Amino acid sequence: MLRDEILDLKRAKNAVILAHYYTTPDVQSVADFLGDSLALSIEAQRTPADMILFAGVHFMAETAKVLSPHKKVLLPSLEAGCSLAESCRAEDLAAFKHAHPDHLVVSYVNTSVAVKALTDICCTSSNALKVVESIPADTPIIFTPDRNLGSYIQKLTGRDNMLIWDGACHVHEEFSLEGILALKKAHPQAHVVVHPECRAYIIAVADFVGSTSAILEYCGQNAAQEFIVVTEAGIMAEMRRLYPDKKFYPAPPEHITGIDCGSCNECKYMKMVTLENIASALRDEQPEILIDEPIRKAAERSILNMIAIK
Ligand code: 13P
Ligand code: SF4
């Protein structure tokens, strides 16, 4: 069986599988570590394994390679990109920096290694506020690439010296306010939990805003028994595993009419990782992530600056 083969290969090659919450339940079931972007970066840095198989998207595997240059890092599908990472090209950022030389660059980890190399400090959705607050109030900032996370942080900090890149995630931009309000009408006791990659008018109706890990924690600690989940549907598997007695309703995207969404709001890139391509990647030790050393070094600095803040 595929599962057994994966477990055997992992053991034989001293490999570890790091998976994001948005991957399928099948994939999550063979992972050694499941987490959000920040936790996965930290785990990639500290794992004693010789090989890291990243069950996630390209920028995550790149981050792992930047932090663990001597380990072999595999990504089962090189097609697994990210619409946020694609919305900020390194050459465009370089030109923008040139036009704003006094600005510090803060980039969400959902960026290519080339963008990270042009960045002063990275952030994830769980530490973006801390990262921006660590920068003196009179230092102007270029924030890339997520306009929604950037605007949310700008609102929380009240900073008027942030230039925000015009990028967005194809999943989180799609949620329907009408759909969320209809779900709330059907389940009035439910708390609305929202990822900060969502638009401001969706964040405005949230009971809680946070990264995938922060949302999971909120659902566990809060006395509420029902939650309307406004992030990628893959997280439902972990929610139901951790809190089997609570109820979770996935929020629908704009193209769905009605409130029965199932797993309709999915990141097409995260779903490109399958048990089949995990097994074949471990078997062939391909596709492997390789990064030129000068770029890796420059990107490492911005990621380590982030990890120092957490
Ligand atoms: P977090 O893992 O930081 O919650 O981010 C979600 C995401 O979109 C990952 O690509
Ligand atoms: Fe990128 Fe959005 Fe997919 Fe996350 S959910 S990997 S931000 S496209």
Side-chain angles (χ1 to χ4, degrees), residues 1-269:
M1 233 175 87
L2 218 43
R3 253 187 78 78
D4 296 330
E5 186 189 356
I6 291 171
L7 300 182
D8 287 347
L9 283 164
K10 270 202 307 186
R11 227 170 290 123
K13 302 198 177 201
N14 191 24
V16 74
I17 298 183
L18 307 184
H20 192 272
Y21 293 122
Y22 295 164
T23 52
T24 63
D26 256 11
V27 168
Q28 294 184 21
S29 76
V30 294
D32 298 279
F33 187 87
L34 186 62
D36 72 353
S37 306
L38 179 62
L40 289 167
S41 307
I42 295 170
E43 191 60 24
Q45 190 189 29
R46 70 175 173 210
T47 175
D50 297 318
M51 197 182 282
I52 297 172
L53 182 136
F54 224 107
V57 295
H58 195 268
F59 77 82
M60 295 180 171
E62 271 189 342
T63 304
K65 184 66 183 178
V66 168
L67 293 172
S68 303
H70 305 301
K71 290 179 183 146
K72 191 169 262 196
V73 176
L74 306 173
L75 181 68
S77 167
L78 286 179
E79 307 291 299
C82 165
S83 52
L84 263 174
E86 277 155 29
S87 56
C88 183
R89 295 188 317 163
E91 53 269 45
D92 297 336
L93 178 58
F96 198 68
K97 270 182 75 166
H98 191 69
H100 303 282
D102 55 336
H103 284 56
L104 220 89
V105 180
V106 176
S107 293
Y108 197 21
V109 283
N110 299 42
T111 43
S112 67
V113 71
V115 164
K116 288 187 179 78
L118 295 169
T119 293
D120 295 292
I121 177 160
C122 287
C123 70
T124 72
S125 55
S126 48
N127 64 12
L129 180 61
K130 264 194 188 164
V131 166
V132 170
E133 281 178 338
S134 75
I135 298 166
D138 57 354
T139 303
I141 293 173
I142 295 170
F143 188 96
T144 82
D146 188 351
R147 60 176 174 241
N148 296 322
L149 179 63
S151 304
Y152 176 62
I153 299 299
Q154 185 169 38
K155 195 167 168 213
L156 291 182
T157 56
R159 279 182 100 114
D160 56 6
N161 56 357
M162 272 172 80
L163 294 175
I164 300 172
W165 203 264
D166 193 19
C169 157
H170 77 287
V171 177
H172 290 91
E173 278 255 305
E174 283 295 305
F175 286 109
S176 152
L177 181 59
E178 222 185 343
I180 294 166
L181 296 178
L183 265 174
K184 183 78 185 165
K185 205 167 167 198
H187 308 286
Q189 305 303 324
H191 282 205
V192 180
V193 291
V194 174
H195 197 280
E197 286 174 19
C198 295
R199 292 176 195 257
Y201 60 77
I202 301 285
I203 289 179
V205 300
D207 292 292
F208 179 76
V209 182
S211 72
T212 45
S213 292
I215 288 177
L216 281 168
E217 206 177 300
Y218 177 83
C219 294
Q221 287 176 356
N222 198 281
Q225 294 301 304
E226 296 176 272
F227 300 87
I228 295 165
V229 181
V230 195
T231 188
E232 208 269 358
I235 199 170
M236 305 296 248
E238 186 65 357
M239 287 177 159
R240 291 179 175 136
R241 193 186 67 77
L242 289 173
Y243 316 120
D245 298 332
K246 296 197 174 190
K247 291 208 170 88
F248 301 97
Y249 311 110
E254 274 168 359
H255 63 270
I256 296 281
T257 37
I259 57 175
D260 288 331
C261 175
S263 55
C264 58
N265 215 7
E266 295 193 322
C267 171
K268 62 180 177 190
Y269 303 110

